[in-house]
Amino acid sequence: MKQTFILCLLIVIACFHSQAQKGISGKIQDTTNVRSVVYATVSVIQKSDSILVKSVRSSQQGTFSISPLQNGTYFILVAHSQFIDYIDEFVISDEHPNKNFGTIPLTNRGHFLKEVVIKNLAGIKIKGDTLEYLADSFKVKQGAMVEDLLKVLPGIQVNAKGEITAMGEKVEKVLVDGEEFFGDDPTVATQNIRSTVVEKVQVFDKKSDQAQFTGFDDGNEEKTINLKLKDNMNHGEFGKVILGAGPNDRWQNEAMINSFKNKRQFSLYGIMSSNGKTGLGWEDKNKYTDQGSSFGFDEDGGWIWNSNDDEDDFSSWGNRTPEGITKSWIGGTHYANKWLDGKHHVNTNYTFGRINKTKRENSYAENILPTRTFSTQDTSHSFSSKNTHKLTGLYEFAPDSLWQIIYRVSARLSFDDNNSYSATENINDEYFVMNQSTNNYTSDATSRKINNTLTINKKLNKVGRTVSLNTIFNNSENDGKGFLKGENNYFVDSLTIQDVLDQKKVQEQKTQYLNAELTFTEQLQKKLMLKTSIGVSSNASNAKKYTYTQNNNDEYLNQIDSLSSHFDSKVFSQTLGAEIKYREKKYSVTLGSKLSYSLFDQHDFIRNRNYNYNRLNVFPTLRFNYKFGQASRLSINYNGSTTQPSIQQLQPIQDNSNPLNIVIGNPDLKIGYQQNIQSNYFNYKIMTGRSMYLGASIGNYFNNVSLNTTVDELGRTISQYVNLKGGGNINAWGGYHTKIPKSNFTAKLDMNVGYRNTPIIVNNIKGTNTSSNISITPGIGYNKENVMDGNIGIEFDYNSSKNSLLPSRNLQYINVNPTFELNVYPTKKSALSTDFNYLYQPPIGPFTKPFNRFVWNAAASYRFLKSNNLELELAINDILNQNKGYQRTTNNNYNSERYFMTLGRYAMLSLKWNFSTGPMAKQNDNSNRRRGGGHRVMRR
């Protein structure tokens, strides 16, 4: 028995000894000086999930040994600051338990040879929550901008508009050496800075100022890219100049000049274009010359004051194809600096823009009633001119590590002029014309807005204990006037009722918002943290709407009370909030709630009526984050929020600017409430360049603001704002992007699914409208350095709409949208490019005709000078002249389609000059010799 026990023990020891022997070893040598490399970092990375398994330093003799290792496939990464990184793949198994690399030769960075290279692998590092790319490790074409560099980085995608997606999430900001560069438009930096001056591209989730200081995550994060410039690259001037012109009044001239010196950044830019370009980037939502608040008429000719929540949003550009013909004149300046070891920090931007837009469109709408339908046909054209000045500023003062004071200001002054004409006709389901209307309207408006935010953060005498004061003061003033002239005819039996309009509209609106919140954080335990807050806010708004007709002296002095209002609204709120956060190494949970008590005081001066009430609301929050690894995470967020009716929705007046569509406010509207829960999962494998993301959200609504629509005997639509119960939505999305092994191809598959249930009421009969959407977009990309790159994809978009009031008008159809892009480089100095976008939408229901659009573009360019920084390009936009504007809308109780004017075929010859001085110029001159990309790899 004793011998048996000893024998078993020896067997177990032998097994453990065998397992311990599984590992790797080798020696690292300098190939230039033929000597051992001391203290080089040797890392073993698991191939399946890119997790670091073990890491050691080489000895005084240059040797290394790593054990034990489990069976599997790994990467070995050898790194040293003076040498080119070495990377190789190996396998540990029972048949091959040990891997001896022998002598691993490292090449000095100053003398490396152009031999076999491996790209997109060793140039990636993970530091905490930041993913870092070493720019020189990735090959790009000569004269490339940062945008071209981003396109070859694993896990990052850049679409045709310049919009950036990193790890499946949209990038909201691009910083330059940690500084915001001309505001929030990421394309400004990516399309105007050359890639040769960038040392690192850092990707991370930027937290709010308060969260960064206190360490208590408040859930406000923005996917951000920081461009870390190379040493001495922040000394000198750089920029670009573009001169372009073509036939048919097409031109694009642009200049940008940057001067960097240490922490000081100074930039100027200017743009003149007639091809729709309204900023340094190509975003549809322009970030420099905003539409902001505008006085005019809505899509139905109704009189409105439009004050966008997103003040920089061109609402008319929210389609696949921008509407109208746009001419723009835009300029701006940027200044940023830090001094006294970063204690003082300033960042300012000023922009001016003038945008003229000419629009024409024809539209058709089917209006759904409980027992029948009727159609609306509309023809309109307009011209608008918008002039905007915008100033933003940041001052940050951090005297020591315990204090932080941040002041932000944003001011805007805009002038809007509009001249529009529309002709509308309503036809019943028996093809009888019920009414006709023609309207001419002109308007001009001025809006002024200033936003101020002051944040004071203080760390107290205990780790995790902080106090913060955040104050906001916003003030806006809008005023404008407009003239409406029109003729409306109503056909009842054999009678024609005529109504002639000649009115003057005047509007003034002043709003002041003040908010102060005091926040306190406390570290209860090592893993437990508490945050409490108390706040007060005041929101006061005074809005005047007056409608006048002419008196006997042809003066607009006769006020129409039924179409006028003077409405004053004051809301005073008090809030209490508490959140508790538990954090482990891999996960964190935050649970909390905010209680808000609000007093509403609203007064209608013309009708001398008061509307006073109070509301108590609860806003629960839940945030859960789990990190499976450095490049894999799951997040779940839940929150509740309220929706306050706008002052336009509350005013109890008729808006008959378009007599065929009358809208009435409702002072008895209740505050809406909604809940939303959202989850996101992301997984990224650095070594293989594979990324996968999944997400879903569910939301529901209470007291949703809607329109109670009725149609009278004259065929007029009369709508009043009301609260409706119920409604909700479900959305899901996902994507899979990967490199195809041993090839130059990449593949992707993206998917979105959406479902919405909306309560509606028509002719006082309640119903529901349910809509669903499924889109699937597979694609393949190809990239062979300095030879060819491109991608092809196709989107299948399924749409369904069901209306309980008239089930016979339920719709289902599939849109097909293939895209293709190809760039070819015949020589080192020349490039050819082409792309197309095809859209097919089938005929269905009220849409009697299919819609086809095939937009094909092409360009050829050639670079001059030794540094290839002068480029001549000939481009043809929409070669087949098929860029037709079209939009379908299926919503609530109507289906509509619009055909609108867009920018069609044009050719442009452009001369582009990228210039630089100082170290930047030297860097660019040497880029052809130096920028070979990748790292030398010796395989055994």
Side-chain angles (χ1 to χ4, degrees):
M1 185 72 177
K2 184 176 180 180
Q3 290 110 346
T4 304
F5 173 77
I6 294 174
L7 179 62
C8 293
L9 181 62
L10 291 174
I11 293 174
V12 171
I13 293 174
C15 290
F16 274 105
H17 179 73
S18 176
Q19 176 66 27
Q21 295 304 310
K22 289 186 178 182
I24 62 172
S25 60
K27 183 177 182 179
I28 306 171
Q29 189 175 68
D30 178 357
T31 58
T32 303
N33 300 309
V34 193
R35 62 185 182 186
S36 300
V37 178
V38 181
Y39 301 132
T41 301
V42 183
S43 303
V44 174
I45 301 171
Q46 196 163 284
K47 181 178 179 181
S48 61
D49 53 15
S50 303
I51 291 179
L52 177 65
V53 177
K54 287 191 176 182
S55 180
V56 300
R57 296 273 189 176
S58 59
S59 68
Q60 292 286 348
Q61 293 74 38
T63 60
F64 68 90
S65 176
I66 298 178
S67 64
L69 295 176
Q70 301 292 331
N71 290 346
T73 304
Y74 302 90
F75 288 108
I76 179 176
L77 172 63
V78 181
H80 192 283
S81 61
Q82 298 179 8
F83 300 91
I84 302 302
D85 293 349
Y86 171 94
I87 188 169
D88 202 356
E89 181 181 324
F90 66 94
V91 177
I92 296 294
S93 64
D94 293 335
E95 294 78 13
H96 302 284
N98 297 290
K99 173 66 176 179
N100 189 338
F101 286 88
T103 299
I104 296 178
L106 295 187
T107 303
N108 191 285
R109 288 184 180 272
H111 301 88
F112 77 92
L113 302 176
K114 294 181 179 178
E115 297 184 11
V116 179
V117 297
I118 182 167
K119 308 175 297 301
N120 302 350
L121 295 176
I124 305 175
K125 297 180 179 180
I126 296 178
K127 295 183 177 180
D129 293 330
T130 300
L131 182 63
E132 189 174 87
Y133 301 87
L134 300 179
D136 283 346
S137 300
F138 300 89
K139 182 74 173 181
V140 293
K141 62 185 178 182
Q142 298 173 9
M145 293 295 173
V146 169
E147 182 176 274
D148 302 300
L149 172 63
L150 296 181
K151 289 180 179 179
V152 301
L153 300 184
I156 297 181
Q157 294 83 40
V158 183
N159 65 16
K161 294 180 181 180
E163 296 171 337
I164 308 164
T165 302
M167 320 311 167
E169 300 177 62
K170 184 178 180 181
V171 173
E172 302 292 343
K173 286 187 177 181
V174 171
L175 310 179
V176 179
D177 272 345
E179 292 283 357
E180 292 188 5
F181 196 65
F182 278 109
D184 293 334
D185 186 352
T187 60
V188 179
T190 60
Q191 297 185 357
N192 293 276
I193 296 179
R194 296 187 72 174
S195 62
T196 51
V197 305
V198 177
E199 178 186 8
K200 299 175 182 178
V201 177
Q202 299 168 326
V203 183
F204 57 96
D205 293 317
K206 187 177 185 299
K207 296 178 172 58
S208 67
D209 295 331
Q210 189 182 73
Q212 292 180 60
F213 187 86
T214 64
F216 197 106
D217 185 9
D218 55 9
N220 297 319
E221 294 182 343
E222 293 180 306
K223 182 65 70 176
T224 302
I225 288 178
N226 179 47
L227 305 175
K228 178 68 173 65
L229 302 186
K230 295 175 180 174
D231 291 341
N232 296 321
M233 287 301 104
N234 56 356
H235 289 72
E237 289 70 40
F238 68 98
K240 70 176 183 180
V241 177
I242 299 177
L243 300 175
N248 301 321
D249 194 30
R250 292 291 161 257
W251 32 272
Q252 179 188 326
N253 303 309
E254 159 181 355
M256 184 176 188
I257 302 172
N258 305 277
S259 176
F260 284 14
K261 185 177 181 180
N262 297 325
K263 299 296 184 181
R264 193 264 294 155
Q265 299 178 359
F266 179 71
S267 303
L268 291 170
Y269 82 95
I271 295 174
M272 297 186 297
S273 75
S274 65
N275 63 345
K277 186 169 188 180
T278 56
L280 292 172
W282 281 96
E283 281 199 319
D284 287 349
K285 292 185 176 181
N286 181 268
K287 299 296 182 182
Y288 309 111
T289 54
D290 52 78
Q291 182 178 6
S293 300
S294 62
F295 173 74
F297 301 85
D298 62 18
E299 297 295 337
D300 298 321
W303 174 47
I304 61 170
W305 185 287
N306 177 27
S307 181
N308 295 323
D309 292 332
D310 179 2
E311 64 184 36
D312 296 327
D313 179 13
F314 277 105
S315 59
S316 62
W317 281 41
N319 306 287
R320 293 177 181 270
T321 303
E323 297 184 36
I325 303 298
T326 301
K327 295 183 178 181
S328 59
W329 298 263
I330 301 168
T333 181
H334 162 77
Y335 176 79
N337 203 354
K338 294 180 179 179
W339 63 92
L340 294 181
D341 297 325
K343 292 181 179 179
H344 299 272
H345 174 207
V346 171
N347 188 310
T348 61
N349 298 278
Y350 166 75
T351 54
F352 162 78
R354 178 184 179 186
I355 296 181
N356 293 345
K357 182 181 285 291
T358 302
K359 296 172 60 176
R360 288 197 301 269
E361 76 167 58
N362 296 308
S363 65
Y364 168 85
E366 178 189 58
N367 304 275
I368 300 175
L369 304 178
T371 58
R372 59 188 176 89
T373 65
F374 72 94
S375 60
T376 301
Q377 296 181 357
D378 184 84
T379 301
S380 65
H381 57 79
S382 66
F383 173 81
S384 62
S385 180
K386 305 178 184 300
N387 296 270
T388 302
H389 300 265
K390 186 174 181 180
L391 175 68
T392 61
L394 162 71
Y395 173 68
E396 182 177 355
F397 177 51
D400 51 45
S401 60
L402 301 178
W403 283 93
Q404 183 187 54
I405 301 174
I406 302 173
Y407 172 67
R408 297 178 186 270
V409 62
S410 174
R412 178 169 51 86
L413 174 65
S414 63
F415 306 91
D416 299 343
D417 296 291
N418 182 74
N419 192 328
S420 304
Y421 166 85
S422 68
T424 305
E425 187 174 70
N426 286 324
I427 305 171
N428 64 17
D429 52 3
E430 297 178 351
Y431 303 101
F432 175 77
V433 177
M434 298 185 294
N435 47 58
Q436 294 175 332
S437 174
T438 58
N439 289 311
N440 285 279
Y441 32 83
T442 60
S443 65
D444 62 85
T446 302
S447 65
R448 296 164 291 273
K449 186 173 185 178
I450 182 168
N451 299 333
N452 302 272
T453 302
L454 176 64
T455 302
I456 302 175
N457 297 317
K458 175 69 168 70
K459 291 182 180 179
L460 302 178
N461 56 356
K462 179 184 176 182
V463 175
R465 180 179 293 174
T466 68
V467 61
S468 301
L469 175 64
N470 187 67
T471 61
I472 301 173
F473 175 68
N474 299 338
N475 184 81
S476 65
E477 296 181 7
N478 308 299
D479 55 78
K481 64 179 184 295
F483 294 89
L484 172 63
K485 296 184 179 182
E487 181 178 313
N488 307 283
N489 296 300
Y490 307 95
F491 308 105
V492 182
D493 297 328
S494 59
L495 298 177
T496 299
I497 302 174
Q498 188 177 65
D499 182 20
V500 177
L501 293 179
D502 185 0
Q503 299 174 348
K504 178 181 179 180
K505 306 283 188 177
V506 178
Q507 177 163 324
E508 297 178 13
Q509 183 172 322
K510 296 181 180 180
T511 302
Q512 287 188 340
Y513 175 73
L514 178 64
N515 176 274
E517 185 176 56
L518 189 66
T519 302
F520 179 79
T521 65
E522 176 74 17
Q523 190 85 38
L524 301 177
Q525 296 177 1
K526 183 178 180 180
K527 299 178 180 180
L528 198 63
M529 197 171 186
L530 173 70
K531 182 173 79 170
T532 58
S533 63
I534 181 172
V536 293
S537 67
S538 173
N539 193 342
S541 180
N542 188 283
K544 301 176 183 179
K545 278 185 176 184
Y546 297 111
T547 299
Y548 301 95
T549 58
Q550 290 182 344
N551 59 18
N552 295 330
N553 296 324
D554 296 331
E555 297 175 314
Y556 291 95
L557 297 177
N558 294 332
Q559 179 177 308
I560 306 177
D561 287 346
S562 63
L563 304 177
S564 303
S565 72
H566 181 185
F567 205 76
D568 186 83
S569 175
K570 294 182 176 67
V571 183
F572 179 77
S573 300
Q574 303 173 75
T575 59
L576 285 173
E579 289 185 339
I580 190 166
K581 181 177 183 178
Y582 180 80
R583 171 178 286 181
E584 285 282 359
K585 183 177 180 180
K586 286 191 173 185
Y587 70 89
S588 66
V589 181
T590 303
L591 180 65
S593 182
K594 184 170 286 189
L595 187 68
S596 175
Y597 178 72
S598 301
L599 298 171
F600 294 82
D601 180 9
Q602 298 165 344
H603 184 74
D604 182 355
F605 288 96
I606 290 182
R607 293 157 190 82
N608 195 26
R609 293 181 61 186
N610 285 325
Y611 306 92
N612 299 326
Y613 55 95
N614 55 69
R615 291 287 186 271
L616 181 66
N617 292 292
V618 179
F619 307 107
T621 59
L622 170 65
R623 295 189 296 274
F624 173 78
N625 293 281
Y626 189 94
K627 291 187 177 180
F628 299 91
Q630 291 178 313
S632 180
R633 65 178 184 266
L634 170 70
S635 65
I636 301 175
N637 295 292
Y638 165 80
N639 64 78
S641 61
T642 60
T643 303
Q644 170 65 31
S646 68
I647 196 167
Q648 288 81 10
Q649 294 172 336
L650 291 169
Q651 294 182 88
I653 64 168
Q654 289 189 5
D655 180 359
N656 76 331
S657 301
N658 182 351
L660 304 186
N661 294 276
I662 300 173
V663 180
I664 306 173
N666 183 359
D668 296 322
L669 287 176
K670 299 178 182 179
I671 295 178
Y673 187 83
Q674 63 185 47
Q675 299 179 96
N676 187 73
I677 183 170
Q678 179 173 311
S679 64
N680 284 285
Y681 171 76
F682 171 76
N683 180 274
Y684 177 59
K685 294 186 177 179
I686 297 175
M687 294 301 180
T688 59
R690 194 272 288 158
S691 63
M692 178 177 66
Y693 64 94
L694 297 168
S697 69
I698 301 175
N700 61 351
Y701 307 93
F702 304 92
N703 294 328
N704 195 32
V705 176
S706 185
L707 286 171
N708 181 6
T709 302
T710 61
V711 179
D712 64 10
E713 66 279 0
L714 299 179
R716 296 179 303 180
T717 299
I718 302 173
S719 303
Q720 183 176 29
Y721 292 104
V722 295
N723 290 116
L724 294 179
K725 296 181 180 179
N729 63 80
I730 301 174
N731 296 283
W733 53 90
Y736 187 90
H737 297 211
T738 186
K739 294 185 62 179
I740 298 177
K742 299 180 181 180
S743 75
N744 296 315
F745 289 93
T746 58
K748 69 172 185 177
L749 177 66
D750 295 295
M751 177 180 292
N752 288 276
V753 178
Y755 172 84
R756 179 178 292 273
N757 181 285
T758 306
I760 59 176
I761 180 170
V762 179
N763 283 354
N764 297 315
I765 298 177
K766 294 182 179 180
T768 57
N769 178 270
T770 58
S771 60
S772 56
N773 171 269
I774 301 174
S775 66
I776 302 175
T777 310
I780 295 177
Y782 178 84
N783 186 356
K784 188 172 184 180
E785 297 167 4
N786 295 324
V787 177
M788 181 188 303
D789 63 77
N791 58 77
I792 185 170
I794 183 169
E795 178 183 355
F796 299 95
D797 187 16
Y798 168 80
N799 296 273
S800 173
S801 177
K802 297 181 180 180
N803 193 308
S804 64
L805 298 180
L806 195 65
S808 63
R809 265 314 189 199
N810 294 341
L811 304 178
Q812 296 184 62
Y813 58 93
I814 297 177
N815 300 328
V816 181
N817 181 207
T819 59
F820 174 78
E821 179 183 2
L822 179 65
N823 301 294
V824 180
Y825 311 101
T827 67
K828 293 183 178 181
K829 291 181 174 289
S830 61
L832 302 173
S833 63
T834 186
D835 65 84
F836 72 75
N837 184 310
Y838 175 74
L839 175 64
Y840 173 79
Q841 295 182 281
I844 183 70
F847 313 125
T848 58
K849 296 180 180 179
F851 176 75
N852 297 272
R853 180 174 60 215
F854 185 87
V855 179
W856 177 27
N857 309 307
S861 63
Y862 189 83
R863 297 181 182 272
F864 298 89
L865 304 182
K866 183 179 179 180
S867 58
N868 294 319
N869 62 340
L870 184 65
E871 180 182 4
L872 182 67
E873 181 186 71
L874 175 63
I876 304 178
N877 181 77
D878 188 20
I879 296 174
L880 303 179
N881 200 30
Q882 291 192 14
N883 190 24
K884 300 172 289 185
Y886 180 76
Q887 182 187 40
R888 284 184 182 179
T889 302
T890 300
N891 189 22
N892 295 347
N893 64 311
Y894 71 91
N895 302 306
S896 68
E897 61 179 352
R898 302 167 52 234
Y899 292 87
F900 49 87
M901 178 178 66
T902 61
L903 184 65
R905 178 170 54 199
Y906 71 89
M908 185 166 297
L909 183 66
S910 302
L911 187 64
K912 305 178 181 180
W913 177 43
N914 288 280
F915 63 89
S916 54
T917 65
M920 293 185 181
K922 183 178 179 181
Q923 176 76 18
N924 291 329
D925 289 340
N926 294 333
S927 62
N928 292 340
R929 298 188 299 273
R930 182 193 57 75
R931 197 167 179 78
H935 301 274
R936 187 182 179 208
V937 174
M938 305 293 294
R939 296 192 180 275
R940 293 179 178 272

